[in-house]
Amino acid sequence: MNRIQDILKLNEHVRTVAIAGHVGPDGDCVGTCTALWQYLRELQSFDRLDLYLELPPKELCFLQGVSESLQEVPESFAAGKPDRKEGASPDAFDGCYDLFISCDVSDRERIAVAGELFDRARRTVVIDHHVSNLGFGDDNYIVPDASACAEVLFALFDYDRISKSIAESLYTGIIHDSGVFQYSNTTPDTMRIAARLMEKGIGFSRIIEDSFNKKTFVQQKVLGFCLEKAELFLDGRCICTGITSEEMSRLGVTKQDLEGIVSQLRYTEGVEAAVFVYSRGENLYKVSMRSNSCLDVSSVCAVFGGGGHIRAAGCNMDGPVEEVIRRVVAEIEKRL
Ligand SMILES: [Mn+2]
């Protein structure tokens, strides 16, 4: 028996399985969910093996499993659904999975699409690498030292059962969460795992180029716009910028076009903390934070009800942008 089977406690009574990632799926989320889905599909047969994913950005749609994933819970699974329709099979599936697995999800509220199904599942398993994860499943397998959840899964998989397309999913997860092996979460193990995945014959440079580096014209424009608006605080140790919903619609950008802006801010000389604020709706803003060497941004975000990693975290706050930045900078100042 391999380790993933141990952790999932797979046996003949586990007939229905759901896998889900987090809201706003990134490379690690889509990589791990599709890797686990492919792995389990090859491992044994289930009555149902369903993958729930918010529609990922198009550069991640090449991963195998994305096109089979569900973007919403089927209506017939709805909780409290009155008696089954006449003529329906008496054992028609009711949405109560034997096993529900979340990958790369730091807390229950962040499960995308299928959160209600998590609550109704007979058993839940959480596989993750977020430091802030308190373990919200019946069984929790959390490795905070791993650069990506994909690293965690790799260690649980039987190497011989990792196909080329599973390797592509895992590799995508690692390069996205480690910034192609440059963030401080990258370890010798990260490199060793990447090497083992390369041995599966994956198109690693194409994956980096197409899923990580490539930007659309509008993404380049909005990056320039936000850099132009950026301001320094705390004697140049903190850089902040933001974009309102009016500016977003004027430039024709969606939230997926804003990926990578906060990382670019972080590269500013002399800066320890980078803060990027963007509109998520009426007076509601998403705050993304990065730090370079000493600040724990997950603790800053926790003050505002968010979380994440030491060097990368986020939270939601009420606007306006200037006020959000003022409050965040005040909190960062206490820690610098
Ligand atoms: Mn991750």
Side-chain angles (χ1 to χ4, degrees):
M1 188 179 256
N2 68 16
R3 304 191 58 210
I4 191 80
Q5 284 162 293
D6 267 345
I7 283 157
L8 301 181
K9 297 186 181 133
L10 293 181
N11 59 43
E12 69 275 19
H13 302 299
V14 179
R15 299 305 315 157
T16 54
V17 178
I19 299 169
H22 59 72
V23 290
D26 57 16
D28 191 30
C29 169
V30 182
T32 49
C33 287
T34 55
L36 183 59
W37 180 80
Q38 293 176 73
Y39 191 91
L40 293 182
R41 190 181 56 165
E42 294 301 318
L43 190 66
Q44 71 179 71
S45 77
F46 298 98
D47 295 339
R48 297 192 72 101
L49 175 61
D50 295 330
L51 171 57
Y52 291 94
L53 276 180
E54 247 177 39
L55 192 66
K58 69 173 187 326
E59 65 271 18
L60 295 172
C61 289
F62 75 97
L63 294 173
Q64 204 167 108
V66 170
S67 59
E68 286 98 326
S69 67
L70 303 169
Q71 270 75 58
E72 54 187 42
V73 173
E75 211 185 313
S76 59
F77 294 5
K81 190 92 180 154
D83 302 334
R84 295 192 178 92
K85 283 194 198 84
E86 224 173 303
S89 147
D91 53 11
F93 186 61
D94 58 3
C96 298
Y97 286 92
D98 294 329
L99 175 62
F100 191 113
I101 311 156
S102 74
C103 286
D104 198 37
V105 183
S106 59
D107 77 78
R108 157 69 187 85
E109 297 313 307
R110 285 184 52 78
I111 297 176
V113 187
E116 52 156 312
L117 300 180
F118 179 91
D119 299 335
R120 288 158 61 199
R122 296 196 175 84
R123 200 160 54 80
T124 58
V125 177
V126 166
I127 300 175
D128 190 29
H129 72 124
H130 291 86
V131 214
S132 59
N133 195 324
L134 300 174
F136 57 96
D138 297 325
D139 289 299
N140 301 282
Y141 193 78
I142 300 159
V143 185
D145 293 336
S147 75
C149 189
E151 261 189 48
V152 181
L153 273 189
F154 177 87
L156 295 176
F157 287 173
D158 181 348
Y159 185 72
D160 292 336
R161 286 183 176 275
I162 297 178
S163 64
K164 183 177 164 189
S165 70
I166 291 175
E168 285 186 338
S169 284
L170 293 176
Y171 190 83
T172 301
I174 290 173
I175 61 153
H176 279 254
D177 265 20
S178 69
V180 194
F181 315 112
Q182 45 179 331
Y183 303 155
S184 60
N185 60 6
T186 307
T187 66
D189 270 337
T190 313
M191 308 306 280
R192 279 188 275 267
I193 291 169
R196 299 288 279 152
L197 294 172
M198 282 171 79
E199 282 163 3
K200 296 286 182 180
I202 59 172
F204 57 92
S205 83
R206 176 185 49 81
I207 293 174
I208 295 171
E209 197 67 11
D210 290 353
S211 81
F212 193 81
N213 291 342
K214 195 159 278 177
K215 285 183 184 296
T216 62
F217 185 59
V218 74
Q219 285 168 338
Q220 300 283 37
K221 297 284 274 190
V222 72
L223 171 64
F225 177 84
C226 292
L227 291 177
E228 172 67 30
K229 279 183 67 182
E231 279 185 80
L232 291 173
F233 296 86
L234 308 176
D235 298 323
R237 286 176 300 164
C238 177
I239 186 169
C240 304
T241 190
I243 186 165
T244 65
S245 51
E246 297 81 64
E247 290 164 339
M248 284 173 68
S249 48
R250 180 153 54 77
L251 293 166
V253 302
T254 64
K255 82 178 205 289
Q256 292 182 343
D257 296 318
L258 306 172
E259 201 69 39
I261 292 178
V262 71
S263 313
Q264 187 60 46
L265 292 174
R266 190 175 67 82
Y267 296 136
T268 312
E269 189 173 19
V271 153
E272 170 58 24
V275 179
F276 176 54
V277 181
Y278 65 90
S279 172
R280 291 295 298 274
E282 183 90 31
N283 202 42
L284 178 69
Y285 288 85
K286 169 74 198 255
V287 182
S288 292
M289 255 178 252
R290 297 289 183 274
S291 64
N292 277 323
S293 58
C294 59
L295 178 70
D296 175 1
V297 285
S298 79
S299 80
V300 179
C301 290
V303 173
F304 304 106
H309 306 284
I310 292 173
R311 299 279 167 259
C315 57
N316 292 309
M317 292 173 70
D318 292 337
V321 175
E322 300 69 31
E323 179 60 17
V324 170
I325 289 177
R326 194 193 59 74
R327 290 167 65 200
V328 167
V329 169
E331 214 43 63
I332 291 172
E333 187 171 23
K334 290 184 198 164
R335 291 167 171 77
L336 281 185

